[in-house]
């Protein structure tokens, strides 16, 4: 399972960074950086919370 970001929907509000800072980061250029696309037991809860919290529905967890 991996994290998929729809860059057309993302407005870089940073809610995901606040929810799962180990996975998401807004860099100095105002770009969303996904530090790891892999969803595993260690980050699953945080990633799922970020997917739910994203106000533009830009995040999802997909196969592969
Ligand atoms: S919470 Fe959603 S809209 Fe905001 S930076 Fe993350 S992916 Fe983009």
């Amino acid at each position: 399972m991996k994290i998929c970001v729809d860059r057309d929907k993302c407005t870089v509000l940073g809610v995901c960074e606040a929810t799962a800072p180990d996975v998401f980061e807004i860099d100095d250029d105002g770009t969303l950086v996904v530090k790891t696309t892999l969803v595993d037991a260690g980050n699953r809860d945080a990633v799922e919370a970020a997917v739910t919290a994203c106000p533009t529905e830009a995040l999802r967890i997909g196969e592969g």
Side-chain angles (χ1 to χ4, degrees), residues 11-12 25-33:
T11 53
V12 201
E25 179 180 355
I26 310 299
D27 72 11
D28 292 341
D29 296 329
T31 302
L32 172 62
V33 177

Side-chain angles (χ1 to χ4, degrees), residues 5 9-17 26 32 50 53-56 58-59:
V5 181
K9 288 185 176 178
C10 175
T11 53
V12 201
L13 293 169
V15 178
C16 53
E17 180 185 44
I26 310 299
L32 172 62
C54 175
T56 65
L59 300 176

Side-chain angles (χ1 to χ4, degrees), residues 19 37 48 51:
T19 306
T37 59
E48 289 180 347
V51 169

